[in-house]
Amino acid sequence: MTKWKSSWLVLVIALVAMLAACNTESAEQEEQTEPAEAAATEVTIDNNDTTQTYKEAPTKAISLNQHVTEIMLALGLEDAMVGTAYLDDKIYEPLQEAYEKVPVLSDQYPTKEQVIDVEADFLYGGWKSAFGEKGVGTPEELEELGIHTYLHTSSNMTKPTLEDIFTDIRNVAKIFRVEERGEALIEQMTKDVDAVRAKLPQEGENLRVLVFDSGEKDVFTAGQNFMNELVTIAGGQNVFGDVESGWTTVSKEDAVDRNPEVVVVIDYGETTAQQKIDFLKNDPALKEMEAVQNNRFVILPLSAASEGVRAAEAIEILAKGFYPDNF
């Protein structure tokens, strides 16, 4: 019996030694892997001529334009937002409840003091003006205050496409560590657009389309901005799609010469869409366009025309206006 007890004691001592060695090795491995794992969680984004590294997801974000506000809400990030600003019109209805959880800091851009007061750690701008002289400050100035910035790239380039919007969505989802939500949003937007495309005429020439933003002396219209992409996907041909700029000014005579079959009226601001239509009908030159003669107008909210989550909705509005018999 004594011999058995001695053998058991030796075995126990050996097991304890082995466990101690394993624990020591495991601790050493943890010490070695922790920095690597931490580095792996860092996100680096090149944007607006800056390179910014996010060691963790922002928790006090501010969105500075409506279409980027709607992207953040569509990604379910309202709890990570301490403010929003610059609404063009009504927020996208499916996002209204989430929007009401976020404080509205300003009708237009907030001041730098407001941004500091809410201890913001991330600013998301839709237009370059957000980080311009009349905006909240340059990315470099804000970086010195410990505030990251992201400029919605697809809104600030020539010839933006749906894929460019998807790139922005993926970047923002990556910054906030919600990549799966980003991919789900992109997948849903793609399905919605494909459903509209499937109903469009498969033969014949696309309708000639003029995008009318405003203009009394001249016409402020879309060249190669996102409206050009929306009109094209919806089965139209932007009559000023050959102009290599975004929003552009053209003469009334040129608009009449290109004789659009449909006019897309951009709805925003104090001048209503109906007032714009009345103007077109009463203008001595523009009333001669085929679209005006045939009373063919499609009203599109500016928020839907921007590079955001409402792209599929915008395409459907346009397609129904261009080809009502197909819907």
Side-chain angles (χ1 to χ4, degrees):
M1 180 68 74
T2 303
K3 184 177 179 182
W4 182 86
K5 287 182 177 178
S6 298
S7 299
W8 176 250
L9 181 61
V10 170
L11 180 60
V12 169
I13 292 171
L15 286 170
V16 170
M18 288 174 61
L19 287 171
C22 289
N23 287 337
T24 301
E25 183 178 353
S26 176
E28 289 175 352
Q29 288 178 342
E30 285 182 8
E31 289 178 2
Q32 291 174 355
T33 57
E34 276 181 5
E37 290 174 356
T41 63
E42 293 183 352
V43 171
T44 300
I45 300 290
D46 293 323
N47 175 260
N48 198 22
D49 298 325
T50 67
T51 299
Q52 301 193 22
T53 300
Y54 297 80
K55 294 184 179 179
E56 57 187 4
T59 58
K60 295 183 176 182
I62 298 175
S63 58
L64 299 173
N65 297 101
Q66 180 167 345
H67 59 301
V68 298
T69 296
E70 292 180 347
I71 284 176
M72 292 198 71
L73 298 178
L75 289 172
L77 297 173
E78 58 271 17
D79 290 339
M81 299 173 69
V82 294
T84 184
Y86 227 130
L87 210 62
D88 294 313
D89 48 49
K90 292 182 180 179
I91 204 77
Y92 193 28
E93 187 174 351
L95 303 174
Q96 180 66 42
E97 185 176 347
Y99 177 74
E100 290 173 356
K101 297 179 181 179
V102 184
V104 177
L105 300 181
S106 175
D107 290 338
Q108 297 186 2
Y109 293 127
T111 64
K112 192 178 294 184
E113 288 73 21
Q114 287 176 300
V115 170
I116 294 172
D117 284 346
V118 296
E119 300 179 342
D121 58 5
F122 178 81
L123 299 181
Y124 187 5
W127 310 109
K128 283 189 176 180
S129 56
F131 303 121
E133 293 181 1
K134 296 182 180 180
V136 294
T138 67
E140 293 77 14
E141 291 171 344
L142 295 163
E143 185 75 11
E144 290 180 2
L145 297 172
I147 303 173
H148 288 294
T149 59
Y150 186 87
L151 179 66
H152 200 58
T153 304
S154 55
S155 293
N156 297 278
M157 62 188 298
T158 304
K159 296 182 180 180
T161 66
L162 281 174
E163 285 301 322
D164 294 316
I165 297 176
F166 295 161
T167 297
D168 278 317
I169 291 173
R170 287 191 174 100
N171 282 342
V172 174
K174 186 176 181 182
I175 289 169
F176 284 86
R177 278 61 166 184
V178 291
E179 290 94 331
E180 289 186 4
R181 297 183 201 172
E183 292 306 318
L185 176 58
I186 290 168
E187 182 179 357
Q188 186 60 56
M189 290 175 66
T190 301
K191 286 182 178 179
D192 292 344
V193 172
D194 288 345
V196 176
R197 278 175 158 156
K199 296 181 181 180
L200 294 173
Q202 302 303 309
E203 297 179 355
E205 294 184 2
N206 290 346
L207 290 171
R208 301 185 306 276
V209 177
L210 170 70
V211 176
F212 183 79
D213 177 284
S214 57
E216 294 185 2
K217 294 183 178 179
D218 295 300
V219 174
F220 192 54
T221 187
Q224 292 180 0
N225 61 14
F226 190 51
M227 276 304 308
N228 188 66
E229 171 85 342
L230 294 175
V231 167
T232 301
I233 294 175
Q237 177 189 353
N238 176 16
V239 294
F240 288 104
D242 59 330
V243 178
E244 295 185 3
S245 63
W247 291 102
T248 187
T249 300
V250 301
S251 69
K252 292 180 181 179
E253 291 74 20
D254 201 0
V256 173
D257 286 344
R258 302 199 181 197
N259 198 24
E261 298 168 90
V262 182
V263 173
V264 175
V265 178
I266 305 299
D267 188 15
Y268 70 99
E270 295 180 357
T271 304
T272 67
Q274 187 57 54
Q275 287 174 325
K276 293 180 181 181
I277 291 172
D278 291 341
F279 167 76
L280 291 169
K281 288 182 174 180
N282 291 289
D283 184 84
L286 298 175
K287 70 178 183 180
E288 298 301 323
M289 295 187 299
E290 183 176 339
V292 179
Q293 292 284 316
N294 294 329
N295 199 38
R296 294 207 61 185
F297 301 100
V298 180
I299 299 173
L300 186 68
L302 177 61
S303 53
S306 301
E307 296 81 353
V309 297
R310 299 170 67 173
E313 178 195 49
I315 291 167
E316 183 174 19
I317 291 172
L318 294 175
K320 286 181 176 180
F322 296 169
Y323 304 101
D325 293 340
N326 290 59
F327 291 85

